[in-house]
Amino acid sequence: MLAANPAAPPRRVVLAAAIPADQVKLDARDREPARVLVTAAIPVDTLASAHVDDAEAAQDVRAAVEALDAADAGDEDARFAVDGAEGHELGWYATQELSYLAE
């Protein structure tokens, strides 16, 4: 998504939600065995938490976005750039803090 919108803030975001198993199906493309596809809208009240990069990760996240295709093709230098973003810890936010992230 960041590659499609270079003006977007360069942060990784993971939302954790409790949803029924029948609304999730395996989507293991791009050599990502844990990738899933959510087949229904997820109401905000089902979110359990959010995990988000802080601003310090922005440069490494942007470099990873730019290097991702080359890394997937086997380029070791590009893989190093992607690993640089993955080396940042994601901050944990409770559901009552989510509105602050949108500001």
Side-chain angles (χ1 to χ4, degrees):
M1 293 173 70
L2 289 172
N5 184 0
R11 293 186 177 180
R12 298 169 299 153
V13 176
V14 176
L15 300 174
I19 60 174
D22 64 348
Q23 292 181 358
V24 180
K25 69 178 190 175
L26 184 62
D27 183 25
R29 59 188 154 138
D30 300 329
R31 298 182 308 272
E32 295 181 36
R35 184 180 182 143
V36 297
L37 177 64
V38 178
T39 61
I42 300 173
V44 171
D45 64 351
T46 64
L47 292 178
S49 63
H51 309 269
V52 182
D53 275 320
D54 62 22
E56 293 174 6
Q59 184 175 352
D60 287 337
V61 171
R62 180 63 64 207
V65 168
E66 293 171 2
L68 192 56
D69 288 339
D72 286 345
D75 182 309
E76 288 301 317
D77 290 333
R79 185 73 225 156
F80 184 78
V82 172
D83 289 344
E86 291 175 352
H88 289 274
E89 294 286 329
L90 296 173
W92 180 90
Y93 295 86
T95 55
Q96 61 270 31
E97 298 174 299
L98 296 180
S99 63
Y100 301 117
L101 290 173
E103 292 178 355

